[in-house]
Amino acid sequence: MHIRDERPGNQQDSRAITHVEYTAFKGHPMHAPGAEPTEHLIVGRLRASGDLTLSLLAEVDGEPVGHVALSPAVVGADQTGWQLLGPVGVLPTMQGRGIGSALIREALRRMRDAGALGVVLVGDPGYYTRFGFACVPGLGYPGVPDQYVLAVRFGQRLPQGDIIAHAAFAELA
Ligand SMILES: CC(C)(COP(=O)(O)OP(=O)(O)OC[C@H]1O[C@@H](n2cnc3c(N)ncnc32)[C@H](O)[C@@H]1OP(=O)(O)O)[C@@H](O)C(=O)NCCC(=O)NCCS
């Protein structure tokens, strides 16, 4: 498996990412039965507005099989410094082989090296705690139960207050 950055302006990469995220989230229990996934659209919106902090593709034998996106998020009084991880998806046929873990670990390494305060996300603690993510008292995401609001910090600064994700995450009409 090989992890690399999405090539800016490369349509083959953006199409592959759409396919991976769409297929990973198709039929996901977080969506209403029969509803179409929206995660691939979120990535497209982040790309279009130039706000993909990081867009990593995982390839096996040269074929894209996994993807993770990071974008800036406001956390409480902190207008900058925090990054939101997601969406992350792996093709269903390739799940359970460590590809998602490798993408998340590489994303965290990159953000730490870049001097970010930390990374926040909304997700299943059963999966993300293995990467160091944890609930933080005083950290929230409007409309989401606190147990799914997770963060990892790289310095002393604690994430406090509400996470405001990029507008790309707003409900898609
Ligand atoms: C979540 C996802 C990205 C993980 O990628 P992956 O390549 O399958 O993950 P890995 O192989 O690195 O890790 C697999 C482990 O994660 C666990 N896991 C996967 N999803 C999980 C979840 N939602 N809750 C708890 N554990 C989960 C698996 O049981 C497995 O556990 P094990 O290591 O103890 O056997 C992938 O399953 C996926 O694309 N799912 C659909 C989209 C999705 O749910 N994205 C995250 C939304 S928050």
Side-chain angles (χ1 to χ4, degrees):
M1 192 227 330
H2 175 64
I3 293 179
R4 66 169 175 85
D5 288 279
E6 174 184 348
R7 292 167 291 188
N10 185 291
Q11 298 218 345
Q12 205 178 333
D13 280 5
S14 55
R15 275 198 295 269
I17 289 164
T18 296
H19 172 71
V20 167
E21 293 286 4
Y22 177 88
T23 311
F25 281 92
K26 179 82 178 156
H28 195 284
M30 74 167 61
H31 294 300
E36 282 292 290
T38 54
E39 285 73 11
H40 61 298
L41 302 176
I42 292 170
V43 177
R45 285 172 159 200
L46 288 171
R47 184 185 297 112
S49 63
D51 290 317
L52 270 174
T53 309
L54 195 59
S55 177
L56 295 176
L57 264 169
E59 295 178 326
V60 171
D61 297 331
E63 290 298 318
V65 296
H67 176 257
V68 65
L70 280 93
S71 56
V74 172
V75 177
D78 294 337
Q79 296 293 315
T80 60
W82 296 98
Q83 297 291 327
L84 185 141
L85 187 148
V88 53
V90 172
L91 291 180
T93 52
M94 301 299 282
Q95 290 176 8
R97 303 180 188 196
I99 295 167
S101 298
L103 281 166
I104 293 164
R105 292 207 166 91
E106 176 66 6
L108 291 176
R109 190 184 68 76
R110 298 272 202 106
M111 291 300 97
R112 182 192 294 266
D113 288 355
L117 294 174
V119 175
V120 296
L121 60 79
V122 171
D124 191 330
Y127 184 57
Y128 290 104
T129 48
R130 68 187 71 189
F131 309 110
F133 285 94
C135 290
V136 179
L139 177 68
Y141 191 108
V144 176
D146 282 350
Q147 75 253 38
Y148 298 112
V149 182
L150 307 173
V152 61
R153 65 184 161 109
F154 299 139
Q156 292 304 307
R157 181 94 176 149
L158 274 173
Q160 289 288 286
D162 274 350
I163 300 169
I164 311 293
H166 189 280
F169 287 85
E171 201 90 340
L172 290 148

